[in-house]
Amino acid sequence: MMKIPFLDLKQVNAPYMDALKEAASAVVESGWYIRGSYCEKFEKEFASYCGFAHGVGVGNGLDALTLMLRASIELGWLNPGDEILVPANTYIATVLAVNAAGLVPVLVEPDEKTFNIDPAKLADACTEKTRGILAVHLYGRLADMPAIWKFASECGLLVFEDAAQSHGAFLDERRGSTSSPTETRDERKVVKSAAIAYSFYPTKNLGALGDAGVVVTDDAELANVVRMLGNYGSEKKYVNKYRGVNSRLDEIQAAFLLAKLPHLDAWNARRREIAARYCSEVKNPLILLPEIPADPHEHVWHVFTIRTPDRAIRDALQKFLETRGIGTLVFYPIPPHLQEAYATRPDGANFLLPTSGLSAKFPITEAMADTIISIPVSQVLTDDEVSEIIGALNEFVC
Ligand SMILES: *Cc1c(COP(=O)(O)O)cnc(C)c1O
């Protein structure tokens, strides 16, 4: 029997072993290990890959999210206690970052077709305290940013993006994210996002060999404040302008990322190829396939997530695939609002209730968590392995 793990990081990195070893030894020999020339070079290259002016390396994706929000507060763009709209079906990091920055996350249900925040539901979640939207490009598919920007510009909200799963996805001709310049594009006033947070956790489409993250933005001031916040709030040694944290990009991770970045587009292209095969060759009424966006560049298939009619069938499918040697994962089995971390506090305060008194019920998110399952889609899969997975999916009965 073929054994197909959900994701084998050793296999992912193996083809680049020589380059990675060379990068590591160059850093070891350099005698400089944090925020040096590799970090600077990676920040520049990644920002430019994304079509942005500035990149600031930080310790991880959660810190990238938190620090871009905190920097917006330090600059007076946001105030502590402001409400930020976030999708209810995201990884908990998105929500934690909003809290960590002293802001209030307000959850919004996703669109079932895209798995991303439903722009049609933004208006209902808005209160007089709403000041921003933190969109997440879940599973590698860009959220409907034109609709989000349009709504944000009408309501005067700042837009941020959690791009931890979408390295290399782009709208129009601009790479790396969704952002676009402030100028009018095809008659439509487009508001660019203030900043975008990336994670380079080893399993991401572009992964380090440890923790790493970056904030990209076109705003030099914001970049500078993020940089200071990640370095104890300091620009000049031992002079502290802000109450910062320690969240910096290691030279060794920057060197690894520099070695891997040139291959990202090819990996994403292979992921799209595999996703296209699943979408055209899986024909089983028990399996609901995701949609390929009209412009395939808007999706980089961080994971390939299918749905089943109910939870029992999902669980049976997971077991069945396991017996066929195929690894699967559920992203994510418990949505943030059902986590103990966000259980209603003894004082009655629930961080996720907007002040307007909307009830914290997220039936779409909960139904998704019960019926989703992700199958392997990494660039290292061979055609035979993809065929094996398709065969197993088509054979599944319940
Ligand atoms: C991975 C991930 C993060 C957090 O990144 P870390 O580097 O693990 O801190 C945040 N948001 C989303 C959507 C993620 O997938």
Side-chain angles (χ1 to χ4, degrees), residues 62 66 70 95-103 342:
L62 174 62
T66 307
R70 276 200 61 190
V95 186
L96 289 174
V98 175
N99 283 135
L103 301 160
Y342 284 107

Side-chain angles (χ1 to χ4, degrees), residues 61-210:
L62 174 62
D63 286 352
L65 289 162
T66 307
L67 296 183
M68 79 181 172
L69 295 171
R70 276 200 61 190
S72 303
I73 295 175
E74 297 293 357
L75 288 168
W77 301 354
L78 295 173
N79 287 303
D82 284 351
E83 291 175 4
I84 307 294
L85 307 182
V86 298
N89 63 325
T90 186
Y91 181 52
I92 198 166
T94 321
V95 186
L96 289 174
V98 175
N99 283 135
L103 301 160
V104 179
V106 172
L107 302 183
V108 179
E109 289 263 61
D111 173 344
E112 301 212 50
K113 248 179 40 197
T114 64
F115 294 105
N116 281 321
I117 198 165
D118 186 348
K121 300 210 173 79
L122 293 172
D124 275 351
C126 251
T127 74
E128 70 285 352
K129 285 186 149 186
T130 308
R131 291 288 177 274
I133 304 173
L134 173 49
V136 180
H137 308 307
L138 200 71
Y139 306 150
R141 179 178 180 152
L142 294 181
D144 184 354
M145 295 310 294
I148 291 168
W149 284 321
K150 183 167 177 285
F151 180 81
S153 74
E154 285 162 7
C155 303
L157 307 179
L158 280 174
V159 178
F160 302 91
E161 298 172 39
D162 177 343
Q165 302 189 358
S166 62
H167 318 67
F170 64 92
L171 271 182
D172 296 338
E173 294 307 305
R174 290 177 65 88
R175 297 204 294 170
S177 118
T178 42
S179 176
S180 56
T182 32
E183 76 239 23
T184 308
R185 196 181 54 189
D186 58 68
E187 310 291 294
R188 189 176 59 207
K189 181 88 181 127
V190 176
V191 183
K192 67 176 176 175
S193 299
I196 304 184
Y198 284 89
S199 160
F200 304 110
Y201 185 74
T203 61
K204 308 293 186 185
N205 287 37
L206 176 61
L209 277 65

